[in-house]
Amino acid sequence: MLLSTFFFSLMNVSVKLLPNIPSVEIVFFRSIISLIICLGFLIPARTRIFGNNKKLLLLRGLSGAMALILYFRLLQEIPLATTTTILFLSPIFASILGISFVNEKVAKVQWLFFLISFAGIIFIKGFDARIDLFYLVLGVSSSFFSGIAFNCIRKMNTSEHPLVIILYFPLVTLPIAGVWTYFAWEMPQGIEWIFILLVGIFTQLGQYYLTRSLQTDEISKVTSIRYVEIIFSLLIGYLFFSENFSLLVYVGMLLTLLGVVLNIWYKRTKLSIN
């Protein structure tokens, strides 16, 4: 999950360096690159390309597509660290949905930790004038779809090859993003083509390690590690995009991280006792 978080952070930079390209067009190119990479590995390995549980694979592809389109739009409009923090709601949705999807148990005290993290995000929204209700709704919606995708992956566990699961993202996304892109096309110029290629490569690496981690451990535990991404985002946002925040916004980010740290501490304590 740490490797996944690192590559997703590099993906974030690449997306923010494409402010003039519609988010759905970036997703379209990313899907083409992902499709080529997946088939390039799956065909020689003689793996069943279309997998076993097609319904779950399709749901994972559709939910992942919606999450990424909304996320890329958010990345282009608001500061990197703020986008990352809002998307930290995804583990909350993943854990809540995991109760019915994979019969995952969430202790009462963990709900308090989730609430602390959620309060931190609301705190940020209240003290950062760049975040209006529309962008908050985009972020919450993206997190919800990510929660569905996480649970689909966990539900399939080791029954599907990680690259087969990832393959369904471009299979579902290309028809949707292709039609959408046709009506919102902006021709990339010069170095923008390189950034588009990097988006595809970094996202593919991030998705691979994300899928492996979700297949091998509890959702609420591994997704919590993604909160480390806020550290990457703060550093990258400051160094590459000169992003700064008020003290109260930083307090909100600390509240979000506090909820995560407490949740990880609780999971480790519970595991050691058992």
Side-chain angles (χ1 to χ4, degrees), residues 8 13 17 24 45 61-62 73 84 109 113 127 130 139 170 182 185 197 221 225 229-230 246 269:
F8 278 132
V13 175
L17 291 172
V24 70
L62 181 60
R73 172 67 190 281
T84 302
V109 69
F113 302 153
F127 292 99
R130 294 166 292 189
Y182 177 79
W185 174 259
L197 178 62
K221 187 191 301 182
I225 300 175
E229 189 174 351
I230 193 173
S246 68
T269 302

Side-chain angles (χ1 to χ4, degrees), residues 56 94-105 150-157 214 217-220:
L56 272 179
S95 295
I96 295 172
L97 293 168
I99 297 173
S100 58
F101 261 80
V102 293
N103 297 318
E104 186 165 315
K105 296 180 179 179
F150 289 161
N151 278 281
C152 289
I153 295 171
R154 183 62 178 153
K155 184 74 173 179
M156 288 179 280
N157 203 348
L214 290 174
D217 215 328
E218 292 183 18
I219 293 173
S220 58

Side-chain angles (χ1 to χ4, degrees), residues 134-204:
F134 174 72
Y135 294 134
L136 185 61
V137 170
L138 283 185
V140 171
S141 299
S142 179
S143 298
F144 176 76
F145 285 118
S146 293
I148 295 176
F150 289 161
N151 278 281
C152 289
I153 295 171
R154 183 62 178 153
K155 184 74 173 179
M156 288 179 280
N157 203 348
T158 56
S159 65
E160 302 289 352
H161 191 287
L163 287 177
V164 171
I165 297 175
I166 297 173
L167 175 66
Y168 267 77
F169 175 87
L171 287 179
V172 174
T173 305
L174 278 174
I176 300 173
V179 174
W180 196 340
T181 298
Y182 177 79
F183 294 100
W185 174 259
E186 290 290 340
M187 177 62 73
Q189 303 294 325
I191 198 172
E192 289 179 333
W193 287 108
I194 296 177
F195 293 140
I196 287 173
L197 178 62
L198 290 177
V199 168
I201 293 174
F202 291 143
T203 309
Q204 186 76 2

Side-chain angles (χ1 to χ4, degrees), residues 50-61:
F50 296 106
N52 302 305
N53 197 329
K54 295 179 177 59
K55 289 183 179 180
L56 272 179
L57 286 166
L58 285 170
L59 179 58
R60 181 265 178 269

